[in-house]
Amino acid sequence: MEEAELTTRLAGYIAGQMPQARDVAISNVARITGGASRQTYRFTLSWTEADGVARQRGLILRRDPADSLIDTERRVEFEAYRAFHGTGVPVPEMLWLEEGADALGSPFFVAEEIAGFQAGPGALWSSPYLETHAILGARKWEILGQIARADPTALGLAGALPAVRAEDCWRRELDHWEAVLDADESEPLPIIRAAIRHLRANPPPPAQKVGVVHGDYRTGNFLYDTEGGVHGVLDWEMCHLGDPLEDLGWSFNPVWFFGRGMPGGLLPRADALAVWEQASGLRAEPEALKWWELFACVKGQAIWVSSARAWMDGANRDPILVYPAWALINAQDRAALHVMERL
Amino acid sequence: MKPDVAQVLVDLAGRVARNAAPQIPAAQRAGELGLSAMLLGLAAEMWDGAAEILVQENAALRGLLASGARVSQDNARRRWLVELAGGRDGSLRLSALQGANAELRVALIALHAELERRDDPEAKDLEADIWRELVAGAERRRLSGSPV
């Protein structure tokens, strides 16, 4: 869909959601590049209230592409954002969710834009951000601890996300991502297959609690400022119920070290662990955490090979799908070797 | 390396040409060309060493499979390993080398899994050899900007 048509149809949709408003219009539509699982646009919504007051608001549109890097239900992402809005975990406000294709050709949601902050990790490696790594890193793992501490039932997420027993968390996730590898890998992966055999032969203990798992909590998926503050945790499309150690393991995946030798490129591992344990009230038992760190390598590899598959099948030729396949598949193999202490 | 470099280059050529059109929004052009440039850089680095890496890896894997043919306790697998270990890279086309590499890797995975289930020294020695080659292979394929 061309941008002009998208603008017209989106304005029509939003006008239908705001029956009290007049002169609903959309301007400044701009695609935000970089997202591989959803097409993301920022735009300005302007309207006139019933009392005649003219208003404007910056908003975000997240729309499903023909084939995305991660196959997920957009309702999961929408409900996760909505559940955490107004809590200590900063997230943008969700406004409208549309699961059908009538309005814009594919499912989408519209959310508040949190403007004025960085999201991509590229800016972090130079001043003024370089000097804030300790603060930003502490805040990053504090928020992850808060997500782990959260009660899914109190948040209203227990009914929105599939239930899982504490002893089944690991198996459900490993089964899922191994099946993705089986379906999508275009080249055999001996290192990751060895990792999967190791994980199955040495399962972790049951989860200390079944909590909310963000699913992709890493540097690059939150909005940060020049003072080390975090203003929005993004990309909840893989959110599910499970073992909170899963998120911690994913945040320790060496592909997110950015060549700086520490988790997220931000904080020494021991410091990140201490912050997370304090904020979550949980303990990261070393062997259990190691299991989830190796699992993170399997999950990462499944996502990267899916990205290659999506491009190769031709359903989505966005070059963003090529990047992880080329740049991260061998890096993820190396990360698995690192976690298994063979590199 | 998948998707194939040649296919991606064709796609990028079309993308760059489309972005030369004056009506493309500046932000979109910047995003697409920036990403295209990054992929072109990766392609340049991978392209130069791709054949050499595959030839080296295929030779190493055939050596491991030949050892596996002597050590495996599964008759059908032994015959399979003998056949693969006796192969050679008759063509230096990347597609041919990749095809052979995939066959060899499938066999290596099966052999590796068998050796893991055994405790005898012969199996453990060959398992250690396989791990050495997996580490060496990951090292060969490492890109200069790799995060790990």
Side-chain angles (χ1 to χ4, degrees):
Chain A
M1 185 183 299
E2 293 297 322
E3 227 158 79
E5 186 187 356
L6 177 69
T7 301
T8 303
R9 289 173 67 168
L10 181 58
Y13 172 80
I14 293 178
Q17 304 302 311
M18 301 172 67
Q20 80 289 359
R22 292 181 286 112
D23 309 323
V24 172
I26 281 172
S27 58
N28 305 322
V29 176
R31 174 97 185 258
I32 301 172
T33 56
S37 54
R38 304 270 193 268
Q39 293 171 347
T40 306
Y41 299 82
R42 67 164 52 93
F43 64 94
T44 303
L45 174 70
S46 52
W47 72 98
T48 304
E49 297 281 11
D51 59 7
V53 176
R55 297 194 186 281
Q56 276 198 340
R57 192 176 189 190
L59 298 178
I60 293 288
L61 166 69
R62 294 259 284 167
R63 189 169 71 129
D64 286 16
D67 194 350
S68 71
L69 198 160
I70 301 160
D71 297 322
T72 55
E73 295 293 326
R74 72 285 321 155
R75 176 167 287 282
V76 165
E77 187 175 13
F78 187 85
E79 295 294 352
Y81 276 115
R82 199 157 66 173
F84 279 99
H85 185 64
T87 72
V89 176
V91 293
E93 181 188 4
M94 293 291 110
L95 298 175
W96 303 292
L97 168 70
E98 193 60 48
E99 295 180 278
D102 290 348
L104 296 187
S106 61
F108 66 92
F109 63 74
V110 176
E112 159 198 23
E113 180 188 20
I114 300 176
F117 306 108
Q118 297 281 347
L124 280 169
W125 323 126
S126 58
S127 192
Y129 299 100
L130 198 57
E131 294 79 16
T132 68
H133 283 188
I135 301 168
L136 181 61
R139 183 69 182 125
K140 172 184 172 179
W141 275 283
E142 180 188 21
I143 291 171
L144 186 59
Q146 290 170 336
I147 294 171
R149 184 186 280 272
D151 176 357
T153 303
L155 286 172
L157 279 174
L161 303 173
V164 62
R165 295 186 309 172
E167 60 269 33
D168 293 335
C169 292
W170 72 270
R171 187 182 294 105
R172 187 182 71 174
E173 293 307 306
L174 187 57
D175 286 351
H176 172 76
W177 290 106
E178 185 179 16
V180 172
L181 279 165
D182 291 343
D184 287 349
E185 75 175 8
S186 51
E187 294 178 298
L189 298 162
I191 294 170
I192 291 301
R193 295 295 176 178
I196 291 171
R197 294 193 300 273
H198 177 85
L199 291 170
R200 290 205 181 280
N202 303 278
Q208 296 163 80
K209 67 174 279 192
V210 174
V212 179
V213 177
H214 175 282
D216 193 10
Y217 193 85
R218 60 177 175 83
T219 301
N221 274 345
F222 53 80
L223 299 166
Y224 56 93
D225 64 24
T226 55
E227 310 295 321
V230 173
H231 298 269
V233 176
L234 309 175
D235 290 336
W236 291 77
E237 61 257 49
M238 289 192 283
C239 181
H240 57 275
L241 299 181
D243 190 331
L245 288 181
E246 182 187 342
D247 265 342
L248 189 60
W250 182 251
S251 77
F252 284 177
N253 187 340
V255 300
W256 311 129
F257 283 16
F258 301 99
R260 300 180 64 82
M262 61 178 85
L266 296 173
L267 205 61
R269 177 189 175 91
D271 296 354
L273 265 178
V275 170
W276 183 86
E277 287 188 333
Q278 172 75 30
S280 68
L282 302 172
R283 173 163 157 67
E285 194 275 316
E287 282 306 306
L289 176 57
K290 194 177 174 82
W291 192 96
W292 285 106
E293 288 181 80
L294 186 56
F295 165 77
C297 296
V298 172
K299 173 178 170 177
Q301 202 65 288
I303 294 172
W304 317 142
V305 303
S306 291
S307 141
R309 172 61 58 200
W311 195 93
M312 289 161 65
D313 286 350
N316 183 352
R317 282 292 169 108
D318 191 327
I320 192 68
L321 295 173
V322 178
Y323 178 77
W326 281 5
L328 294 180
I329 286 179
N330 184 54
Q332 195 64 79
D333 268 352
R334 295 173 60 81
L337 290 170
H338 178 76
V339 174
M340 290 188 281
E341 298 174 17
R342 295 187 179 276
L343 187 66
Chain B
M1 55 201 170
K2 297 287 182 180
D4 291 329
V5 172
Q7 282 184 306
V8 174
L9 291 180
V10 168
D11 187 78
L12 291 182
R15 197 166 291 273
V16 170
R18 282 196 298 280
N19 274 286
Q23 72 271 21
I24 301 292
Q28 180 183 332
R29 177 181 292 126
E32 291 215 351
L33 292 184
L35 184 56
S36 297
M38 196 156 53
L39 291 176
L40 288 170
L42 289 173
E45 185 176 353
M46 292 190 298
W47 194 252
D48 184 46
E52 183 181 20
I53 287 169
L54 285 164
V55 167
Q56 287 179 358
E57 186 166 302
N58 289 354
L61 294 182
R62 288 188 179 104
L64 290 169
L65 299 187
S67 300
R70 290 189 292 276
V71 171
S72 175
Q73 295 175 343
D74 180 310
N75 287 337
R77 181 168 298 132
R78 275 205 300 273
R79 288 192 293 276
W80 182 34
L81 296 177
V82 165
E83 184 185 336
L84 286 174
R88 55 184 285 274
D89 292 322
S91 164
L92 291 180
R93 294 183 75 89
L94 288 180
S95 55
L97 293 169
Q98 284 173 335
N101 186 260
E103 278 190 305
L104 295 168
R105 282 181 165 213
V106 168
L108 185 81
I109 290 169
L111 174 62
H112 197 179
E114 177 191 335
L115 298 174
E116 283 172 355
R117 293 191 294 269
R118 290 168 48 184
D119 291 322
D120 56 295
E122 208 175 20
K124 292 295 134 193
D125 286 349
L126 184 53
E127 187 188 349
D129 290 343
I130 288 175
W131 276 114
R132 270 190 288 278
E133 169 49 28
L134 292 178
V135 170
E139 203 61 32
R140 271 185 226 112
R141 291 171 180 241
R142 185 185 186 196
L143 296 171
S144 58
S146 173
V148 185

